[in-house]
Amino acid sequence: MTEVSRTVSTKAILLGNEAIARGIVEAGCLVASAYPGTPSSEILPAVAKFADELGSPMAVEWGVNEKVAFEVAAAASFTGARSCAVMKQVGLNVAADPFMSAAHFQLKGGMLLVVADDPGPHSSQTEQDSRYFAMFAKVPCFDPCSAAEAREMVFDAFDLSERFGIITMLRPSVRVDHCRQDVELGELRPPKGQVKFDKEPSRWVCLPASVKVNHPRLNAKVEEIRAAFETEFEKYNYEVPSKEKSVLGIVASGVCFSVVSDILKGWGREDVAVLKIGTPHPLPVKMVTDFISRQPKVLFLEETYPVMEMQLPDRTGILGRWNGIVPGAGELLPETVADILAKILGMDHPAGEGSPLLRQAMEELKITPRKPMLCPGCPHRASFFSIRQALPNAVNPSDIGCYTLGVNQKAVDAVMDMGASVTMGSGFFLVHKAAGMERPIVSTIGDSTFFHMGLPGLASAVYNRHAFVLAILDNSTTAMTGGQANPAVGEKLRKGDAGRKVDIEAVCRGCGVTFVRTIEAYDVGAGKEAVKEAWEHAKSRSEPAVIIFRHPCMLLRPQQSAVQVKVDPEKCIGCKFCINFFNCPGLVFDEKKSKAYIDERFCVSCGVCVSVCPHGAIGEISGEGE
């Protein structure tokens, strides 16, 4: 977690996610659970840090996945305690089942669901809008425009949850999560009431018969909350009137409000009115339609889907995503919003990627765009190389995590969602079997992702006798989201909390896998032989085989031998095999000389590339690095 950088009086400069965490702790939350996922990952570590600082008795834990985290928090709210579950937008897909059920419950304690959205997307497989999930489940949603507002909304979301006995959603987007702002710091509020679970099966047992009571009650809650949003939440829903006769009205939610406010201020435009909406669901329709009726034309700015537009009874004349004025996908960056506004207002304004100012800034900063790739020395690179060399004709499903970047090594053929590499391995096996064909299948998955959602697929594969190799890339952390612990690591968040490490090998054997082999990921030769042996075992026994490629993530700064390497230009034939199949930032190609060479700026001297060149052109510099 990024540390609080500076404290002045009762304020501190916080990351947006830290501001949310501060609100969760101060509000007297007693149980907080999460699964890491960018852009939400910093929230739970910050909750633990502030809980330690403020002496809160609250429990703070990573769940093995988002469904687990949600259900832990929901059960805590059944006792009357305030609880919180945190995840990213695609994580809510994993928690959708309990989310939809619990939305119908008449909760006892306040429950806050924080879902961080990733318009763009910067690190997600989709850019879905969680506000739609709020509509789907019929729960209220708060959409903050800044870090300070996100913290403030936490308190109101808990209060609203307790007032109506309903889950409330706080949905920050990536620019709010990762902005920095001075934020007011408060004191710890004592937890409300006594923790007590009362046995009420009609309230806590999700029976089909209960839906007849719960669903109409939920519908009534939505309308009562909508009425409250119309009149009681003016600090989040308010109009910024134009100082001159209005030529355009803008309805904006979330960070779009901050963006458009800055643009209008910078342009000196005082003939545009803005209606800020911080509670997009249920939409305060009367407030919005009244604003629309007083404007010559109205533009809707919201990320990522037209959630507010969709709730309008009449969209005649509305400019937004429905009629293509606002792009149907992608983040509404300042340059994008400026482009849209300039066209509507008839302004000649250079913006977007073609902006001379943007080009000048990139040149001054010497920024050269480069596609994402695995870190120098990443053990996954060596694992992928071993797999590709052992079975070049294999089908290679993979998963969500750093290792998706194995696509650069032509070692990743299909990625769907977390845990799908295992179940896709089953699917590829079954279709080949049904067609009377045989083809090697090697699935890859990380250690955290294996526990997240890989386990059910493995148990299913053992039960159904699906023949494929599952390669678990164990780097002893949840790397892509910043290095969080998981069951394979065993560490916990709060001071004094001791976790227990779960043995991956034992778990696999417990599932019934008879071939489980652990390999040092850097050992390419051993990796190749293990993959071949595992496939032969899987094929002959018609069952899955598991190889665990183990080496610490380079972000953990492991102590390891330094192997200084060089490329011998006499032996290098310019085939680019090392570039195309090893894809290390430390190995680059000189097009003029048609030779590979080592870029010392990126090389971490892991020495794995010595095993890569089929012509022996990459070698260790003897006597150095010892």
Side-chain angles (χ1 to χ4, degrees):
M1 186 199 79
T2 305
E3 293 188 357
V4 177
S5 55
R6 188 159 58 93
T7 302
V8 181
S9 185
T10 58
K11 288 189 174 182
I13 299 173
L14 299 182
L15 197 68
N17 280 342
E18 293 170 339
I20 294 169
R22 182 77 187 193
I24 291 169
V25 177
E26 289 179 9
C29 179
L30 208 55
V31 174
S33 186
Y35 185 79
T38 305
S40 73
S41 302
E42 297 88 356
I43 296 176
L44 202 68
V47 168
K49 174 184 170 61
F50 289 131
D52 287 337
E53 289 180 358
L54 296 176
S56 168
M58 69 185 298
V60 186
E61 293 187 347
W62 292 118
V64 73
N65 63 30
E66 293 85 354
K67 180 176 184 289
V68 170
F70 183 93
E71 289 164 348
V72 166
S77 77
F78 293 176
T79 70
R82 286 188 166 183
S83 66
C84 179
V86 182
M87 57 198 68
K88 67 180 296 184
Q89 91 279 15
V90 289
L92 186 52
N93 300 340
V94 180
D97 199 6
F99 175 52
M100 297 299 292
S101 292
H104 284 67
F105 285 16
Q106 182 65 23
L107 295 181
K108 189 175 177 183
M111 181 175 175
L112 175 66
L113 172 64
V114 181
V115 188
D117 278 7
D118 186 18
H122 299 273
S123 57
S124 306
Q125 60 268 44
T126 70
E127 54 179 354
Q128 65 195 56
D129 189 329
S130 296
R131 299 176 305 161
Y132 260 136
F133 248 128
M135 290 179 62
F136 190 23
K138 300 184 176 178
V139 303
C141 177
F142 289 81
D143 192 4
C145 69
S146 67
E149 188 177 68
R151 173 189 167 275
E152 187 67 22
M153 283 179 168
V154 168
F155 299 97
D156 288 306
F158 271 125
D159 288 342
L160 193 76
S161 175
E162 287 165 349
R163 177 177 166 187
F164 291 96
I166 192 170
I167 298 165
T168 52
M169 178 188 290
L170 177 69
R171 176 260 190 183
S173 61
V174 62
R175 300 295 172 182
V176 172
D177 293 304
H178 293 160
C179 71
R180 284 193 178 275
Q181 185 180 7
D182 57 328
V183 175
E184 193 74 35
L185 301 182
E187 299 297 323
L188 176 65
R189 302 180 186 182
K192 285 189 173 182
Q194 182 184 5
V195 172
K196 185 174 182 293
F197 179 70
D198 298 314
K199 293 180 180 293
E200 294 181 72
S202 62
R203 185 174 183 178
W204 306 125
V205 180
C206 187
L207 289 169
S210 303
V211 177
K212 294 179 180 177
V213 176
N214 294 342
H215 198 172
R217 183 179 61 195
L218 179 57
N219 289 340
K221 286 182 189 178
V222 170
E223 292 311 312
E224 290 175 23
I225 293 169
R226 189 192 310 278
F229 284 167
E230 295 274 9
T231 57
E232 301 178 30
F233 289 81
E234 58 273 6
K235 60 181 174 180
Y236 303 136
N237 302 327
Y238 56 86
E239 181 176 340
V240 182
S242 59
K243 294 181 179 177
E244 302 172 6
K245 183 180 180 181
S246 177
V247 298
L248 175 68
I250 298 173
V251 180
S253 72
V255 75
C256 293
F257 171 76
S258 300
V259 170
V260 79
S261 297
D262 286 345
I263 290 172
L264 292 174
K265 184 179 179 181
W267 288 355
R269 297 292 303 230
E270 298 185 338
D271 55 354
V272 178
V274 181
L275 178 63
K276 177 189 179 298
I277 295 296
T279 60
H281 182 264
L283 185 70
V285 174
K286 291 180 182 176
M287 180 185 296
V288 175
T289 52
D290 172 69
F291 177 79
I292 292 172
S293 69
R294 294 183 281 108
Q295 306 300 325
K297 52 188 174 182
V298 175
L299 169 69
F300 272 69
L301 293 174
E302 53 184 326
E303 288 180 326
T304 306
Y305 295 166
V307 171
M308 294 194 298
E309 286 183 67
M310 186 178 180
Q311 295 175 75
L312 292 175
D314 181 4
R315 292 193 290 272
T316 304
I318 295 297
L319 308 174
R321 294 190 188 273
W322 279 103
N323 58 6
I325 298 298
V326 178
E331 187 178 13
L332 292 184
L333 295 165
E335 53 266 33
T336 307
V337 174
D339 271 344
I340 295 168
L341 280 178
K343 289 175 184 173
I344 294 174
L345 295 172
M347 297 173 62
D348 183 17
H349 175 76
E353 294 182 355
S355 167
L357 289 175
L358 180 61
R359 285 200 303 272
Q360 181 183 346
M362 292 183 67
E363 289 172 2
E364 290 177 356
L365 294 171
K366 298 180 179 177
I367 295 173
T368 303
R370 189 177 67 176
K371 67 179 182 179
M373 59 199 310
L374 293 169
C375 300
C378 175
H380 298 342
R381 178 179 291 105
S383 304
F384 281 128
F385 187 78
S386 298
I387 292 167
R388 281 281 301 163
Q389 292 302 297
L391 298 170
N393 189 41
V395 180
N396 298 119
S398 192
D399 230 292
I400 304 297
C402 300
Y403 34 91
T404 308
L405 297 172
V407 71
N408 295 333
Q409 293 176 254
K410 302 174 179 56
V412 171
D413 298 322
V415 175
M416 195 179 329
D417 60 6
M418 290 188 77
S421 65
V422 187
T423 39
M424 283 195 293
S426 290
F428 284 122
F429 162 74
L430 287 174
V431 71
H432 284 88
K433 178 185 177 185
M437 301 164 64
E438 181 181 287
R439 188 171 179 186
I441 299 157
V442 183
S443 298
T444 47
I445 191 170
D447 47 330
S448 180
T449 312
F450 173 67
F451 284 109
H452 177 279
M453 202 56 83
L455 259 171
L458 182 60
S460 175
V462 171
Y463 163 57
N464 289 297
R465 305 198 67 125
H466 297 160
F468 64 93
V469 179
L470 174 62
I472 301 174
L473 310 183
D474 179 8
N475 59 3
S476 304
T477 191
T478 312
M480 194 173 196
T481 49
Q484 294 78 20
N486 63 62
V489 180
E491 297 173 355
K492 296 193 70 179
L493 283 162
R494 295 239 22 209
K495 290 180 179 175
D497 268 2
R500 182 174 176 181
K501 186 175 180 179
V502 179
D503 188 331
I504 295 178
E505 291 96 328
V507 168
C508 293
R509 291 193 178 95
C511 283
V513 180
T514 58
F515 185 104
V516 182
R517 186 75 53 82
T518 299
I519 300 294
E520 160 55 53
Y522 275 4
D523 190 341
V524 171
K528 288 163 59 177
E529 292 306 312
V531 171
K532 290 178 183 176
E533 190 179 345
W535 170 242
E536 289 301 319
H537 182 94
K539 184 173 59 174
S540 63
R541 300 278 294 268
S542 189
E543 61 183 41
V546 172
I547 300 175
I548 301 166
F549 287 93
R550 182 168 288 155
H551 191 93
C553 172
M554 293 305 288
L555 298 179
L556 300 177
R557 305 295 179 198
Q559 294 292 322
Q560 62 185 40
S561 300
V563 181
Q564 304 292 337
V565 296
K566 65 178 180 181
V567 177
D568 185 342
E570 298 298 321
K571 294 181 179 178
C572 178
I573 64 169
C575 65
K576 292 188 177 180
F577 180 85
C578 59
I579 305 296
N580 294 330
F581 291 94
F582 198 59
N583 195 242
C584 179
L587 265 170
V588 290
F589 195 78
D590 187 328
E591 295 289 349
K592 292 182 179 177
K593 296 180 180 178
S594 194
K595 303 285 182 184
Y597 69 96
I598 304 296
D599 188 337
E600 300 294 345
R601 296 176 301 167
F602 300 107
C603 180
V604 297
S605 302
C606 68
V608 179
C609 60
V610 173
S611 308
V612 171
C613 179
H615 310 288
I618 304 175
E620 182 178 353
I621 302 174
S622 59
E624 297 187 30
E626 297 177 352

